[in-house]
Amino acid sequence: MLESDAATIEAGPVCDITIIGAGPVGLSAGFWAGMRRASCRIVDSLPTIGGQLSALYPDKWIYDIPGHQKIKARDLVDRLAEQSIGQFGIPVHLSTTALSFSRRWHPELQEELIAVETTSGVFLSRTVLMAAGHGAFTPRPLPGIDAERWTDRGLTFFVTKKEQFAGRRVMIVGGGDSACDWAMELKDLAREIILVHRRDRFRAHQHTVDLIDAAVAEGRIRLAVPCVVKDIHGDDALRHVTLGPVSKGGEVQRFDIDDLIVQLGFITGLGPLADWGFDLQDGGMLVDDRMRTSVPGIWACGDIATSASKIKLIATGLGEAATAVAHAMAFIRPDVELQPEHSTSVGVPPGVETTEPTMSAA
């Protein structure tokens, strides 16, 4: 929540824009900040960049990105990251949730700043740009299972490097696109793939389900349906899992595995951001034609922003990022032209020096 007393803070790393959200729109905002010679940082609650593209469908084709007949979600993330983080050396703070903010007086700079309090500490900046998509992602847990006990000991909700599953026995729980996609992606890499779903029919796209059926027929994927995870066993690491029927009765099965990937979907929401004082509409932050929110000094773009003319697409979000950064910089530097110089004329400026690490995780 906003502190109105303009309390004094000690000197620390200060940037022009703190971008909350490392999805495609947040990465694009980082690029535009770099083109404006603005210092910025990117903060995201997920353990990897890419937002929904990385968390939900990294290997799905996207067909509506300008200049690409089709491009895989993970490849789009990689190219946007190269264009922004790689090109301008933008610091990125992952596994970091924005909690609250206040306005504080900086004694050395002699200016009022926005102090964003996060789970990784306080970040100081002149403006804030919300690009958090649908808000923070919280993975849906396995019912009745102590996920915290087994996380990083064999259980995972996010796949960041598929190579880590090479030659291993992998169980994937879920019936949607993400679970089926990962089963197909890992079937030629892992020693064994067991796909578990509480129903005997999958919710994934029919084309993906057809591929799963073919892989099962070829013996490359093993199904356990309809089943649910009843218990996890092991010591310093996960060793085996007990599956049981959805309803009472039925056979209990035990599988020796090395890894358990849970893909039951994610719970999204504004979380702590809902208490920052924004005017909200349809679950998003109401913005004007400059992408300004109702809170001075804070802009929003992408799916988290809403307006009467809103169209929720990656393509429109990328354009909103350019608009938001332009007006944020006009707010910081009123003497600077609102219209950016064309890259064909000026090229790409050098990155802005920063004392923060390029990539860090809580």
Side-chain angles (χ1 to χ4, degrees):
M1 296 178 65
L2 174 64
E3 292 184 8
S4 59
D5 59 357
T8 299
I9 56 174
E10 297 298 326
V14 176
C15 69
D16 293 323
I17 306 174
T18 291
I19 300 169
I20 297 178
V25 175
L27 295 174
S28 182
F31 166 75
W32 286 111
M35 291 296 289
R36 287 282 186 162
R37 297 176 174 83
S39 59
C40 76
R41 65 171 65 89
I42 299 176
V43 175
D44 200 291
S45 61
L46 294 177
T48 185
I49 63 172
Q52 293 185 61
L53 273 65
S54 296
L56 302 183
Y57 49 91
D59 288 290
K60 283 290 188 181
W61 291 106
I62 304 175
Y63 297 90
D64 56 2
I65 300 300
H68 297 277
Q69 182 178 2
K70 63 178 182 177
I71 183 171
K72 280 198 172 183
R74 67 164 71 249
D75 294 334
L76 177 60
V77 171
D78 289 343
R79 294 183 186 184
L80 289 169
E82 181 181 358
Q83 185 185 41
S84 56
I85 299 169
Q87 189 163 216
F88 295 113
I90 299 171
V92 181
H93 302 269
L94 299 173
S95 299
T96 299
T97 301
L99 302 173
S100 62
F101 81 101
S102 60
R103 301 193 190 277
R104 305 291 183 88
W105 182 256
H106 196 292
E108 291 187 6
L109 299 176
Q110 288 293 293
E111 62 178 312
E112 188 179 76
L113 300 172
I114 296 178
V116 179
E117 181 180 347
T118 76
T119 51
S120 298
V122 176
F123 297 117
L124 309 177
S125 64
R126 297 177 175 88
T127 61
V128 173
L129 197 161
M130 297 291 184
H134 293 289
F137 276 72
T138 303
R140 294 185 185 277
L142 281 167
I145 300 297
D146 183 2
E148 185 175 351
R149 175 185 175 187
W150 297 105
T151 299
D152 297 327
R153 297 169 61 190
L155 185 151
T156 184
F157 295 95
F158 300 96
V159 177
T160 56
K161 294 182 180 180
K162 65 180 183 180
E163 291 75 18
Q164 72 187 79
F165 301 103
R168 296 173 68 84
R169 300 166 298 179
V170 181
M171 178 176 285
I172 302 173
V173 181
D177 283 310
S178 187
C180 292
D181 285 346
W182 279 121
M184 291 301 300
E185 185 72 14
L186 298 177
K187 65 180 174 57
D188 297 325
L189 185 67
R191 172 181 164 188
E192 182 180 19
I193 293 290
I194 305 164
L195 184 56
V196 180
H197 186 35
R198 62 180 294 109
R199 299 180 178 87
D200 55 8
R201 293 181 62 86
F202 293 97
R203 295 177 287 103
H205 190 279
Q206 187 57 49
H207 174 67
T208 305
V209 175
D210 291 342
L211 293 176
I212 291 289
D213 289 340
V216 171
E218 295 169 359
R220 300 163 78 183
I221 292 178
R222 182 177 178 184
L223 293 184
V225 295
C227 290
V228 292
V229 175
K230 292 293 186 179
D231 205 355
I232 297 176
H233 313 272
D235 36 53
D236 58 323
L238 184 154
R239 303 298 179 188
H240 44 265
V241 169
T242 299
L243 300 183
V246 176
S247 55
K248 291 184 179 180
E251 182 183 358
V252 174
Q253 306 174 70
R254 175 166 161 163
F255 292 85
D256 294 329
I257 64 171
D258 301 305
D259 300 283
L260 179 64
I261 303 174
V262 180
Q263 297 286 283
L264 298 179
F266 294 84
I267 302 168
T268 61
L270 294 180
L273 300 180
D275 299 323
W276 285 31
F278 299 107
D279 287 344
L280 303 177
Q281 180 176 296
D282 300 326
M285 300 173 183
L286 193 63
V287 297
D288 62 13
D289 60 355
R290 301 180 183 183
M291 308 312 296
R292 293 180 300 187
T293 71
S294 58
V295 179
I298 301 183
W299 281 255
C301 54
D303 285 350
I304 202 168
T306 188
S307 66
S309 60
K310 182 71 178 185
I311 297 177
K312 292 189 175 183
L313 293 171
I314 295 175
T316 52
L318 301 180
E320 290 173 357
T323 300
V325 170
H327 287 284
M329 291 310 299
F331 173 83
I332 296 171
R333 305 170 189 165
D335 57 325
V336 173
E337 290 285 340
L338 178 64
Q339 179 63 38
E341 297 175 285
H342 294 294
S343 62
T344 51
S345 300
V346 300
V348 176
V352 179
E353 287 189 16
T354 175
T355 58
E356 299 177 57
T358 302
M359 190 82 72
S360 65

